Amino acid sequence: MKIIAYCDKLIHWSFYLLFFLVPLFFTSNTSELFELNKMWLTWGLTVIIMGAWIIKMTAERKISIRRTPLDLPLVLFLFSQLISTIISLDSHTSFWGYYSRFNGGFLSLLTYTLLYFAFVSNVTLEKAKRYFLVTIFSGIIVALWGLPSHFGYDPTCFLFRGKLDTSCWTESFRPTIRIFSTLGQPAWMAAYLAVLLPFTMALTLWETEKQKKSSLLEAAKNYWVLGLVIVDVLFYVDLLFTDTRAGFVAFWVANILFWLTLWWLKILSRKKIISYFLIFNVIFLMASFFFSTPISQLKKFSLSSLMARPAIKTSVNKTAGTSQPPPKNLLDTGITDSGTIRLLVWRGAISAWEAHPLFGTGVETFAFAYYLYRPAAHNMTSEWDYLYNKAHNEYLNYLATTGIVGLGTHLMFLGGFFFFAIRELLRLSKANAEKKDTEAVFLAVCLPAAFTSIIVSNFFGFSVVMINLFLYLIPAWFFVFLKMLPADKEYVIMFGQPTRHRGTSLNLYQWTISLGIIALSFFFLVQLVRFWQADVAYALGMNLDRAGEYQSAYPSLIQAVQIRPSEPVFKDELSTNLATLVPALYQNNEATSAAQLAQQAISLSNDVTTNYPNNVVFWKSRVRVFYSLAQIDSRYYTQALDAILQAKKLAPTDAKISYNVSVLYGQNNQLENGIKELTRTIQLKPNYRDAFYARGLFYHQLAQNSSGTTKTDYENKAVADMMYLYDNFAHDTEAQKSLSSWGVTAQ
């Protein structure tokens, strides 16, 4: 039947696009350049794949899903995520995912699960091989795209601004130090390359064996083999240029496992395995020597470190005649070691789990959970005011947000793959491996190693769209490559007589269902496109807001809310925009328009905080709304104070929120409460300069009586705070000015 053939083609071409385009896809006009777009593309292709598969099953008059060894773990894991989404602190976030990424939300996990079953039920061995090659080809483009940026020539900047340099990136993104190509962050690119390297190594070995040469060096005379060796080197050098410890360690763990698996299976002679092992790893070690590694203990063995040592030893201070010390540790510059911060975040994740042990705080709600259970010690790090929406450990993230049930079923899926992979590999020997497709066996051998690299990199970070696609589809690849999915093992529900002849046409019932599926798929795709358009408008408005162009931002934010009124993030941004415009309208004698905008801002803020009461970001925005409105009516300060007190309940150890509570106490003429809160702020963050300064001002205000006399005890405390600032914060000029205006000389 032609419709079945058309559906097969649509499924397979969609998988080609999935493996090829997702790593490459990004754009500059959305609120997040990389992950957001990759997730939208994945959703869109999944809609097409599922629509085509359902129509195919309708034409065949049966619902058929190929049975696999991982069905139970996957279904249990997805069910645990559904429960966690239903009882979540914020079900909207749990369903869609945290805005700006979406990966990790229930919808994304459902997407990956559907892709897994679509793959195993529709993909043949030959198609799986082609997907494998397409994946590597896409990786080559990613690697080549990112490589020039290490030397200051970023193709992305040329695409965005027409300049082949790195000027399009802020200081937070410096590809000359850590490349990230089309993946968005160095850690994400490193995790991606750690997966691809076992792929290309296996393909290189297979192509070498096809040449029937005695060694890899001799086989490399073939251009295809030589090209693959160059790709291996390219991927590894790019991995080094990401300067990411997690990805580097993940690759070397995978690399060791890859060679051990080859040794164990004996599908090659031991002599050949040793030869290949030495050639590959000597190349990798040489690259590490010339380009250095992310591991500080190994950097001293790199060429740059060895060349720098004599200069450090002979560097002399000519004026003092003493040797100069080596460069200071990053900690001395005020930047807290990432390992220290990570341990604090992990501690907060464990605390969140202890409070919600079974199903966690809700899928992808770590940003809210961490605020609730954040260790106070985090205030003493250089990232004390950052918002953490991930635990930077995938397993603790699952534990905190989906509880022991969510993590347990996830580990069941990971462990289940290893169990079935090891069991199948144990059956392989040089003799019975020949009964299978030899190329497929070679390619299958690399898959457990690549899967292991994901597990390792996720331990020190978190998954992104492409890594999750690999996580779900590597097991599917493995089962297909080793022919572990017999055609007679399916979950089948028949409706009507099976189609026996390809020429049989669809009946009215089948046409109705097929047209309905086409219409539904089209509807979902249109909704995705409209969501994307709304985000583009939101991104423009948000960026204009950040640049202070509030009036120019207004039409874009209105457009975003009109296109997608169900998205609270859009409403939240619009509410603060409207509130910011109100004072300017009053100054221009447009009181009626100002009052209308003020009411709209309050209404939008009421909407998001009422429907999403556990989102501390929305409460912070509500504070900004009422603080802006208070510039024309001081009565709004009371509502701003109420909002910040609610934010404090959701983030009890956040020093910045505590500080803002005290500021609003001051605006409401509650100076004593403000001083108490500032004292608490200083306990949370003893080096908080602004808190000391504000408390000194509050003490000074309390010291002044309406009768003109001064309360000595308050005044002494005010002077003490300012003197502390002057002595401990590099002779703070504002503190010095305050002391001088009070008639006190700083010493």
Side-chain angles (χ1 to χ4, degrees):
M1 191 181 294
K2 286 185 177 181
I3 192 170
I4 295 175
Y6 289 147
C7 288
D8 278 332
K9 287 183 179 180
L10 192 55
I11 290 169
H12 296 315
W13 276 103
S14 296
F15 270 115
Y16 284 136
L17 293 175
L18 186 77
F19 289 115
F20 180 73
L21 286 182
V22 170
L24 297 169
F25 189 51
F26 68 96
T27 181
S28 62
N29 56 355
T30 49
S31 60
E32 200 277 340
L33 278 64
F34 299 96
E35 279 294 285
L36 209 63
N37 294 291
K38 296 180 192 305
M39 194 71 254
W40 263 312
L41 178 61
T42 302
W43 279 335
L45 291 171
T46 303
V47 168
I48 295 171
I49 289 169
M50 292 305 299
W53 185 21
I54 294 172
I55 292 172
K56 176 185 173 182
M57 289 189 288
T58 302
E60 293 175 335
R61 296 189 177 103
K62 65 177 181 179
I63 298 172
S64 59
I65 302 172
R66 191 70 54 84
R67 293 173 61 183
T68 79
L70 295 179
D71 294 351
L72 182 60
L74 276 172
V75 171
L76 288 176
F77 173 66
L78 193 63
F79 186 66
S80 74
Q81 303 305 287
L82 177 61
I83 295 175
S84 182
T85 297
I86 293 171
I87 64 175
S88 170
L89 291 175
D90 191 320
S91 291
H92 179 87
T93 298
S94 291
F95 180 78
W96 284 100
Y98 191 84
Y99 202 93
S100 79
R101 292 206 180 106
F102 290 141
N103 175 66
F106 178 78
L107 184 58
S108 72
L109 298 175
L110 174 62
T111 298
Y112 302 134
T113 305
L114 292 175
L115 287 172
Y116 171 85
F117 284 110
F119 190 105
V120 297
S121 300
N122 295 279
V123 175
T124 63
L125 176 59
E126 289 305 313
K127 288 290 193 303
K129 291 180 187 178
R130 292 177 190 174
Y131 299 157
F132 196 89
L133 295 176
V134 166
T135 299
I136 293 174
F137 183 62
S138 179
I140 292 171
I141 299 175
V142 171
L144 290 174
W145 188 276
L147 185 63
S149 65
H150 179 77
F151 304 99
Y153 306 100
D154 194 342
T156 302
C157 290
F158 183 77
L159 187 66
F160 288 171
R161 295 187 178 180
K163 294 181 179 180
L164 192 59
D165 55 22
T166 59
S167 61
C168 64
W169 302 112
T170 65
E171 282 297 308
S172 300
F173 296 87
R174 300 171 66 184
T176 52
I177 296 176
R178 302 178 69 200
I179 68 171
F180 46 83
S181 188
T182 61
L183 275 299
Q185 279 193 17
W188 303 346
M189 185 177 181
Y192 174 69
L193 292 172
V195 172
L196 288 189
L197 272 162
F199 284 18
T200 55
M201 289 162 62
L203 189 59
T204 305
L205 293 184
W206 166 245
E207 291 298 327
T208 302
E209 285 299 299
K210 279 171 59 178
Q211 300 300 316
K212 299 187 183 301
K213 302 294 183 181
S214 59
S215 70
L216 177 60
L217 295 176
E218 188 177 349
K221 295 176 182 178
N222 176 278
Y223 290 130
W224 179 233
V225 174
L226 179 61
L228 284 171
V229 173
I230 293 173
V231 170
D232 290 320
V233 175
L234 171 66
F235 285 174
Y236 186 73
V237 170
D238 268 23
L239 176 66
L240 295 177
F241 286 165
T242 64
D243 197 26
T244 302
R245 286 174 289 186
F248 181 79
V249 171
F251 162 68
W252 278 98
V253 171
N255 182 40
I256 293 169
L257 182 60
F258 174 75
W259 294 106
L260 287 176
T261 305
L262 281 175
W263 182 271
W264 173 36
L265 290 180
K266 301 179 182 178
I267 58 176
L268 293 172
S269 68
R270 293 287 173 85
K271 182 179 178 180
K272 278 191 174 182
I273 293 173
I274 293 172
S275 173
Y276 292 150
F277 170 81
L278 290 175
I279 291 172
F280 273 101
N281 287 280
V282 166
I283 291 173
F284 294 149
L285 291 174
M286 287 177 63
S288 300
F289 173 73
F290 283 108
F291 300 113
S292 191
T293 73
I295 308 298
S296 56
Q297 292 86 345
L298 299 178
K299 283 185 177 181
K300 60 185 177 182
F301 300 111
S302 67
L303 179 63
S304 58
S305 179
L306 293 173
M307 292 179 66
R309 284 180 184 176
I312 293 175
K313 291 179 180 179
T314 59
S315 177
V316 175
N317 185 322
K318 294 181 179 179
T319 57
T322 57
S323 297
Q324 290 281 11
K328 292 184 179 181
N329 187 283
L330 279 176
L331 290 173
D332 298 331
T333 67
I335 301 174
T336 309
D337 178 69
S338 61
T340 301
I341 297 173
R342 191 161 293 169
L343 288 174
L344 290 169
V345 176
W346 292 357
R347 193 197 309 170
I350 292 171
S351 297
W353 166 66
E354 289 174 342
H356 305 268
L358 286 180
F359 292 99
T361 59
V363 176
E364 278 300 278
T365 58
F366 188 79
F368 318 138
Y370 187 62
Y371 267 119
L372 273 169
Y373 303 102
R374 177 178 180 265
H378 201 140
N379 291 309
M380 297 305 294
T381 70
S382 57
E383 297 182 2
W384 68 281
D385 56 349
Y386 285 22
L387 187 152
Y388 278 81
N389 53 34
K390 290 283 190 178
H392 290 265
N393 179 304
E394 187 83 342
Y395 313 106
L396 287 180
N397 201 83
Y398 275 126
L399 185 66
T401 58
T402 64
I404 195 66
V405 177
L407 176 62
T409 51
H410 180 66
L411 294 178
M412 187 186 300
F413 163 61
L414 301 182
F417 172 64
F418 280 116
F419 172 79
F420 292 111
I422 292 170
R423 189 180 71 175
E424 187 64 20
L425 291 174
L426 279 171
R427 295 174 181 171
L428 286 175
S429 66
K430 193 168 184 179
N432 62 27
E434 292 173 356
K435 297 177 184 178
K436 297 179 181 286
D437 184 300
T438 310
E439 180 183 9
V441 171
F442 263 90
L443 300 183
V445 166
C446 75
L447 294 174
F451 196 81
T452 301
S453 79
I454 297 175
I455 292 174
V456 174
S457 60
N458 278 353
F459 182 85
F460 298 102
F462 52 89
S463 63
V464 290
V465 176
M466 197 60 220
I467 297 304
N468 260 347
L469 282 173
F470 281 142
L471 188 73
Y472 282 74
L473 296 183
I474 281 175
W477 251 322
F478 186 88
F479 298 149
V480 172
F481 279 159
L482 294 186
K483 301 179 181 178
M484 296 174 63
L485 307 173
D488 60 339
K489 290 188 176 181
E490 295 181 315
Y491 303 103
V492 179
I493 300 176
M494 302 295 302
F495 49 95
Q497 293 298 317
T499 301
R500 298 182 183 279
H501 305 288
R502 289 287 179 177
T504 305
S505 60
L506 299 183
N507 59 32
L508 180 62
Y509 178 71
Q510 289 170 303
W511 271 116
T512 302
I513 294 177
S514 298
L515 290 175
I517 294 301
I518 292 172
L520 189 61
S521 299
F522 184 74
F523 171 78
F524 285 144
L525 291 174
V526 169
Q527 291 304 307
L528 281 175
V529 171
R530 286 182 59 78
F531 196 171
W532 188 85
Q533 291 173 332
D535 182 79
V536 169
Y538 162 70
L540 178 58
M542 178 184 64
N543 289 329
L544 288 169
D545 271 351
R546 303 300 180 269
E549 300 289 337
Y550 303 107
Q551 193 165 352
S552 299
Y554 171 75
S556 296
L557 294 174
I558 286 289
Q559 181 186 2
V561 172
Q562 288 175 342
I563 294 175
R564 190 167 180 81
S566 61
E567 181 49 60
V569 170
F570 298 167
K571 292 181 179 179
D572 181 61
E573 185 68 28
L574 179 58
S575 70
T576 57
N577 172 270
L578 293 172
T580 307
L581 290 172
V582 168
L585 289 174
Y586 264 102
Q587 290 176 1
N588 292 331
N589 298 317
E590 299 180 48
T592 303
S593 297
Q596 290 175 346
L597 289 188
Q599 193 55 47
Q600 289 177 34
I602 294 171
S603 177
L604 288 167
S605 181
N606 287 343
D607 185 301
V608 295
T609 53
T610 300
N611 291 312
Y612 311 98
N614 294 309
N615 190 322
V616 68
V617 176
F618 293 164
W619 286 101
K620 287 181 176 182
S621 297
R622 186 174 177 84
V623 174
R624 290 196 294 273
V625 167
F626 286 116
Y627 194 86
S628 295
L629 298 180
Q631 307 311 304
I632 50 95
D633 187 345
S634 60
R635 288 176 296 180
Y636 284 117
Y637 279 129
T638 301
Q639 289 167 285
L641 177 60
D642 291 340
I644 197 67
L645 287 173
Q646 181 60 33
K648 179 186 171 184
K649 290 179 182 178
L650 297 174
T653 64
D654 189 303
K656 181 165 280 189
I657 288 179
S658 179
Y659 171 77
N660 287 324
V661 168
S662 66
V663 170
L664 284 166
Y665 270 134
Q667 296 287 0
N668 283 275
N669 296 315
Q670 299 180 40
L671 293 178
E672 291 186 352
N673 285 338
I675 288 171
K676 290 179 182 177
E677 191 62 37
L678 283 168
T679 300
R680 180 177 176 276
T681 303
I682 291 168
Q683 290 172 347
L684 290 172
K685 184 173 173 61
N687 63 349
Y688 202 163
R689 179 263 172 202
D690 291 349
F692 281 103
Y693 184 74
R695 192 173 69 173
L697 293 180
F698 280 13
Y699 273 133
H700 179 71
Q701 286 179 260
L702 279 177
Q704 311 306 309
N705 281 335
S706 56
S707 59
T709 59
T710 300
K711 293 183 179 179
T712 307
D713 55 340
Y714 284 137
E715 188 66 12
N716 289 341
K717 290 178 180 179
V719 171
D721 275 344
M722 294 302 178
M723 288 298 297
Y724 181 84
L725 276 182
Y726 182 79
D727 293 338
N728 293 279
F729 290 83
H731 290 185
D732 189 277
T733 54
E734 289 189 73
Q736 187 177 19
K737 287 179 183 178
S738 295
L739 289 169
S740 179
S741 67
W742 301 342
V744 179
T745 302
Q747 296 179 351

